[in-house]
Amino acid sequence: MERIPDVSRQVARPAPGVTARTVHGRIVLERRRFGPVRRIFARLVRVPTTVTANLDEVGSAAWLLLDGRSVAAVKAELERRFPGQSDLAVRLGKFLGPMVSRGFVVLS
């Protein structure tokens, strides 16, 4: 059985090249999908050249906390900000997994 790595001590930061903007109080992330040469071909065949992620309230709060804090510190702060939600650790894990795999967040 494969063991899931513990990332609580790792530091989470936004990946280079990711832009964040606020729309109606929520954060929208965007990054380039291709390098400069492939981007030219993608435009020719009308393939989107950027990847976009629309974050919910908890995801937006988590994104704002990714400033060099450990994942455990982000989790603790989210629990302080959203005291009534018992599933924040699970939601943070489900947030970080895709964010890392899609190149929006870097863990170190």
Side-chain angles (χ1 to χ4, degrees):
M1 183 170 159
E2 187 175 327
R3 184 164 165 79
I4 299 172
D6 179 22
V7 297
S8 63
R9 293 185 188 157
Q10 291 189 348
V11 173
R13 299 181 195 279
V18 174
T19 58
R21 58 189 162 93
T22 304
V23 177
H24 304 297
R26 305 234 172 123
I27 294 182
V28 176
L29 304 175
E30 192 172 271
R31 71 167 181 80
R32 289 185 176 158
R33 187 173 179 189
F34 305 111
V37 175
R38 286 188 176 178
R39 196 173 321 125
I40 293 169
F41 292 114
R43 285 183 184 146
L44 289 173
V45 295
R46 299 185 192 280
V47 172
T49 59
T50 58
V51 177
T52 304
N54 297 303
L55 304 180
D56 66 357
E57 182 182 11
V58 175
S60 296
W63 176 261
L64 294 174
L65 295 171
L66 300 181
D67 57 0
R69 302 177 200 213
S70 69
V71 174
V74 171
K75 178 183 161 259
E77 181 62 24
L78 287 175
E79 288 172 343
R80 189 188 67 75
R81 289 187 187 185
F82 301 98
Q85 296 188 19
S86 60
D87 64 341
L88 285 174
V90 173
R91 289 183 72 177
L92 182 60
K94 288 183 177 183
F95 167 76
L96 284 175
M99 289 288 115
V100 169
S101 66
R102 292 182 181 145
F104 288 104
V105 173
V106 176
L107 295 175
S108 57

